[in-house]
């Protein structure tokens, strides 16, 4: 018997965690934080050493009470990729389980870096398995990492193979045929899967009626501004997601063509770039300087002002207007950097639609506008599947049951409507709330 338990992340976007029980053994897919609740509580977008009890109280990490009775049966914890809403609760919760963490090398490196930086100890082994390979969890469960594209490297769909059939955990992916870094999705393997009992699927953009454009489109948008707009004598400042290594790699390529020196400034940029370098995905060492600590960042900005800002490209943290990030500090005049009119500020991201970030971005943009800068917004393409990609997944995998995940009620309903339009029956689509479960014989 297979039971799928929606531990967390089935009523909103964030703190993803699903338990898959096969007879008397359990694997857990993802163990993430709820970013907005986390930031509200810690005022920090980086993970810091705070107590799990406090984080549970403010609903920043999953509530593991609903799997209390099966904790002892957990055999593996499987984070699918390095985003904090998928791995961020590991430092706080993994110790509750006597199980190894199994993930791709980049994800493993990011987890290890967080633990090391914040001096958090967990007892679990961290095993890294390459995308497109398998791992035997026990006699009865083998997991397979199927390579997919997303907005951070080495993202995998997890196929959990059992004697009752296969469960496919497909949270956070897009089907990008022209990725700018890393491999294409492994469509062949998805088509080959047989007897897929259920798919647990990313519903975030289920109502977005299109196929999500490729990352190469975002790369072209960035190129148009970095190389095609008149930035003569002016600063170029770019802010984007620190974990989006492909996007950072595009910035490195275009920076070289401008002849300007490239600086990455901020703690989280340093964390993800170093992790990607360590596992051999990129090597920025010859083309850019990465500076982590605030004191050194301020010294560097002093040099930039002295030597001439037109000689540099600055990539900084703070795309969502986080008050403690470098861009907010620059806008506040807290750093040695001074904005001039017509300096470039490029937001290579979208605003995350939560009240906290919408307000943060508004405050930041108002401050920046007062300096007379040129602002380039939404130079971005999402890493999530839209409606037509979700249909592709169902056509390829042919699951017997669908469990919409990674979304609020409306997003899950959007996924349900896709299924019904494609001929699924109501009883094959399972809308779960946190704490609920469904069984398949
Ligand atoms: Zn993600």
């Amino acid at each position: 018997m297979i039971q799928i338990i929606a531990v967390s992340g089935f009523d909103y976007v964030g703190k993803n965690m699903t338990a898959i029980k096969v007879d008397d053994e359990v694997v857990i897919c993802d163990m993430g934080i709820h970013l907005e609740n986390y930031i509200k509580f810690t005022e920090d977008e980086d993970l810091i050493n705070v107590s799990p009890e406090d984080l549970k109280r403010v609903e920043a990490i999953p509530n593991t009470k609903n799997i209390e009775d099966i904790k002892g049966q957990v055999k593996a914890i499987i984070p699918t990729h390095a985003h904090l809403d998928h791995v961020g609760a590991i430092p706080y919760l993994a110790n509750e389980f006597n199980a190894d963490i199994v993930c791709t090398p980049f994800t493993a490196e990011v987890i290890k870096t967080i633990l090391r930086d914040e001096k958090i100890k967990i007892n679990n082994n961290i095993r890294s398995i390459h995308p497109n390979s398998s791992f035997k969890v026990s006699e009865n469960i083998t997991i397979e990492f199927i390579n997919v594209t997303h907005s951070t490297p080495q993202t995998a769909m997890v196929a959990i193979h059992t004697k009752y059939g296969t469960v496919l955990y497909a949270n956070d992916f897009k089907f990008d045929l022209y990725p700018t870094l890393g491999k294409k999705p492994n469509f062949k393997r998805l088509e080959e899967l047989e007897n897929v009992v259920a798919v647990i699927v990313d519903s975030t953009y289920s109502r977005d009626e299109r196929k999500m454009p490729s990352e190469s489109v975002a790369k072209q948008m960035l190129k148009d501004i970095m190389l095609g707009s008149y930035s003569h004598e002016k600063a170029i400042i770019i802010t984007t997601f620190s974990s989006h290594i492909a996007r950072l790699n595009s910035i490195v390529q275009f920076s070289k063509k401008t002849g300007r020196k490239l600086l990455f400034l901020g703690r989280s940029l340093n964390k993800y770039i170093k992790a990607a370098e360590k596992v051999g995905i990129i090597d920025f060492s010859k083309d850019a300087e990465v500076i982590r600590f605030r004191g050194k960042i301020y010294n560097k900005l002093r040099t930039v002002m002295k030597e001439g800002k037109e000689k540099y490209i600055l990539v900084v943290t703070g795309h969502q207007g986080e008050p403690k990030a470098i861009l907010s500090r620059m806008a506040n005049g807290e750093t040695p950097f001074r904005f001039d009119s017509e300096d470039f500020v490029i937001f290579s991201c979208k605003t995350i639609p939560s009240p906290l970030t919408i307000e943060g971005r508004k405050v930041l943009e108002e401050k920046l506008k007062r300096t007379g800068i040129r602002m380039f917004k939404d130079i971005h393409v999402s890493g999530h599947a839209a409606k037509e990609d979700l249909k592709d997944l169902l056509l390829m995998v042919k699951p017997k049951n669908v469990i919409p995940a990674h979304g609020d009620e409306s997003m899950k309903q959007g996924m349900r409507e896709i299924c019904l339009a494609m001929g699924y029956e109501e009883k094959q689509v399972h809308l779960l709330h946190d704490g609920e479960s469904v069984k398949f014989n």
Side-chain angles (χ1 to χ4, degrees):
M1 191 265 311
I2 295 176
Q3 184 181 11
I4 293 168
I5 306 153
V7 182
S8 175
F10 287 77
D11 292 305
Y12 39 80
V13 177
K15 50 171 176 161
N16 296 290
M17 184 163 167
T18 303
I20 295 122
K21 187 169 181 285
V22 185
D23 294 332
D24 57 356
E25 294 178 313
V26 177
V27 295
I28 288 174
C29 288
D30 287 334
M31 200 175 266
I33 58 169
H34 190 288
L35 209 56
E36 191 181 14
N37 291 350
Y38 179 86
I39 294 171
K40 253 192 232 163
F41 179 63
T42 62
E43 295 190 333
D44 203 323
E45 80 271 40
D46 265 309
L47 292 189
I48 54 170
N49 201 341
V50 281
S51 90
E53 287 67 36
D54 283 343
L55 290 174
K56 278 185 189 171
R57 186 173 45 76
V58 299
E59 299 183 0
I61 59 174
N63 185 346
T64 48
K65 260 210 188 90
N66 50 34
I67 49 165
E68 199 66 47
D69 53 328
I70 53 167
K71 269 186 180 171
Q73 300 173 358
V74 174
K75 302 295 170 199
I77 299 165
I78 311 162
T80 53
H81 63 287
H83 283 153
L84 293 182
D85 56 336
H86 295 258
V87 300
I90 284 177
Y92 312 109
L93 290 181
N95 268 338
E96 294 184 14
F97 308 93
N98 182 19
D100 287 356
I101 296 162
V102 186
C103 54
T104 56
F106 177 68
T107 308
E109 201 50 48
V110 169
I111 296 170
K112 285 179 196 165
T113 310
I114 293 167
L115 295 170
R116 198 165 50 231
D117 285 357
E118 299 306 323
K119 301 184 177 60
I120 301 173
K121 279 218 156 38
I122 58 171
N123 300 319
N124 321 66
N125 290 321
I126 303 175
R127 291 167 172 268
S128 62
I129 307 295
H130 281 276
N132 295 329
S133 64
S134 294
F135 177 76
K136 197 168 173 173
V137 174
S138 71
E139 271 314 305
N140 299 312
I141 302 174
T142 298
I143 59 163
E144 178 184 359
F145 281 162
I146 300 172
N147 187 71
V148 283
T149 41
H150 185 40
S151 44
T152 199
Q154 295 184 351
T155 297
M157 281 187 192
V158 186
I160 298 137
H161 300 294
T162 78
K163 64 180 171 189
Y164 305 105
T166 295
V167 173
L168 184 68
Y169 183 84
N171 262 351
D172 285 23
F173 71 97
K174 75 192 271 186
F175 285 146
D176 191 342
L177 275 81
Y178 308 96
T180 64
L181 187 72
K183 291 185 188 139
K184 289 180 192 179
N186 192 346
F187 293 121
K188 182 168 172 282
R189 201 51 207 128
L190 287 173
E191 282 179 314
E192 281 168 2
L193 291 178
E194 280 175 9
N195 191 16
V196 177
V197 177
V199 61
I200 298 149
V201 60
D202 180 350
S203 309
T204 309
Y205 285 78
S206 62
R207 293 192 177 279
D208 193 348
E209 298 192 336
R210 58 175 173 158
K211 173 172 172 53
M212 190 58 75
S214 163
E215 176 60 20
S216 55
V217 172
K219 184 175 181 176
Q220 185 62 43
M221 290 163 82
L222 197 56
K223 185 181 182 184
D224 286 347
I225 296 165
M226 288 181 71
L227 303 182
S229 296
Y230 194 77
S231 57
H232 189 63
E233 300 285 306
K234 298 297 178 184
I236 298 179
I237 295 154
I238 307 171
T239 186
T240 188
F241 299 94
S242 299
S243 57
H244 204 324
I245 301 298
R247 192 70 55 79
L248 301 182
N249 192 48
S250 299
I251 293 171
V252 170
Q253 288 176 23
F254 301 138
S255 291
K256 280 203 262 189
K257 295 205 167 119
T258 65
R260 296 178 181 228
K261 287 181 211 163
L262 178 60
L263 304 176
F264 288 103
L265 307 178
R267 196 155 66 122
S268 60
L269 280 163
N270 177 75
K271 176 164 61 197
Y272 287 101
I273 291 171
K274 294 298 175 209
E277 287 184 333
K278 203 155 183 182
V279 298
I281 296 172
I282 46 152
D283 180 4
F284 290 173
S285 61
K286 281 196 278 306
D287 304 309
E289 199 178 337
V290 188
I291 308 176
R292 176 182 172 194
F293 293 109
R294 205 191 307 162
K296 286 191 177 157
I297 291 171
Y298 285 16
N299 282 339
K300 197 69 188 184
L301 289 174
R302 207 165 283 125
T303 309
V304 169
M305 291 306 289
K306 209 159 71 190
E307 289 184 359
K309 52 169 77 162
E310 72 284 359
K311 295 191 173 77
Y312 288 88
I313 289 176
L314 312 179
V315 181
V316 295
T317 54
H319 54 91
Q320 301 298 322
E322 301 92 332
K324 289 184 178 176
I326 302 298
L327 187 56
S328 291
R329 292 180 190 276
M330 288 168 78
N332 290 340
E334 289 173 40
T335 81
F337 186 88
R338 292 292 168 263
F339 286 99
D340 289 310
S341 55
E342 282 87 50
D343 278 348
F344 277 35
V345 178
I346 303 169
F347 286 91
S348 189
C349 60
K350 62 149 199 167
T351 311
I352 296 166
S354 78
L356 190 73
T357 49
I358 291 168
E359 183 57 26
R361 267 290 292 268
K362 191 168 150 248
V363 170
L364 174 63
E365 285 181 26
E366 278 167 7
K367 284 177 190 164
L368 288 170
K369 277 179 190 161
R370 262 180 251 139
T371 67
I373 57 125
R374 298 175 69 183
M375 198 181 296
F376 300 85
K377 296 204 290 189
D378 300 319
I379 310 306
H380 183 64
V381 171
S382 168
H384 287 272
K387 187 172 184 176
E388 295 306 324
D389 308 276
L390 294 166
K391 284 185 187 171
D392 280 344
L393 178 73
L394 296 181
L395 289 169
M396 265 185 273
V397 174
K398 299 178 187 66
K400 292 176 185 157
N401 295 278
V402 178
I403 303 170
H406 207 281
D408 59 21
E409 209 50 40
S410 161
M411 296 164 181
K412 289 190 297 179
Q413 285 292 348
M415 188 65 215
R416 175 178 156 272
E417 285 163 22
I418 291 172
C419 295
L420 297 181
M422 289 176 75
Y424 278 83
E425 291 173 39
E426 289 277 5
K427 64 179 182 198
Q428 292 175 286
V429 187
H430 308 268
L431 295 180
L432 302 181
H433 297 287
D434 285 6
E436 293 179 346
S437 72
V438 56
K439 285 180 187 172
F440 304 107
N441 287 314

